[in-house]
Amino acid sequence: MGEIERLVPSGVIEQWVFHLRRQRSRAQDTIWLIDQGYTLHDGQRGTPTADASERFRREQQTVVDEVDQLLELYDRINLRSSEFVAAERKQGRRATDRIV
């Protein structure tokens, strides 16, 4: 079975991208706070039991890295059409022209 192509409205894509950027920003803020000396602790019933700062920092760095990759993919997809247009102009033909 071949790949199924689905159309997703651009407004939905923009909402996803907005959410990803917000998520990355929150993760970067958390990393900054930990780097400034703030700590996070695992605990039970309001009593801290273990410092979880390093683990949480790694998790937030993973979020930042993954969102960066997704946003890079988003940019490449959106800029792809302009790259094709520039390449076609250099060749002096359109993509719809047939080479015989």
Side-chain angles (χ1 to χ4, degrees):
M1 187 168 158
E3 202 173 307
I4 298 174
E5 189 172 321
R6 299 176 191 211
L7 298 177
V8 179
S10 62
V12 172
I13 300 294
E14 291 301 321
Q15 286 179 330
W16 290 342
V17 169
F18 178 79
H19 173 72
L20 287 171
R21 287 186 176 129
R22 187 178 338 145
Q23 186 176 9
R24 179 181 60 183
S25 178
R26 288 178 179 159
Q28 289 170 330
D29 289 347
T30 302
I31 290 169
W32 183 84
L33 287 170
I34 292 171
D35 289 347
Q36 299 306 309
Y38 289 83
T39 57
L40 296 147
H41 295 272
D42 287 332
Q44 189 173 19
R45 296 189 193 107
T47 305
T49 56
D51 187 354
S53 302
E54 196 55 42
R55 183 192 78 222
F56 200 71
R57 190 189 187 292
R58 281 193 313 273
E59 291 170 358
Q60 297 306 303
Q61 187 60 52
T62 300
V63 168
V64 170
D65 295 341
E66 289 176 356
V67 170
D68 283 343
Q69 289 175 355
L70 288 170
L71 291 175
E72 181 181 329
L73 176 62
Y74 171 77
D75 289 340
R76 277 190 290 157
I77 290 169
N78 283 326
L79 296 175
R80 181 179 65 184
S81 61
S82 62
E83 291 172 8
F84 288 144
V85 168
E88 290 168 359
R89 285 186 184 144
K90 289 179 184 175
Q91 295 175 358
R93 64 181 184 85
R94 296 184 314 238
T96 55
D97 294 343
R98 297 190 76 155
I99 299 175
V100 182

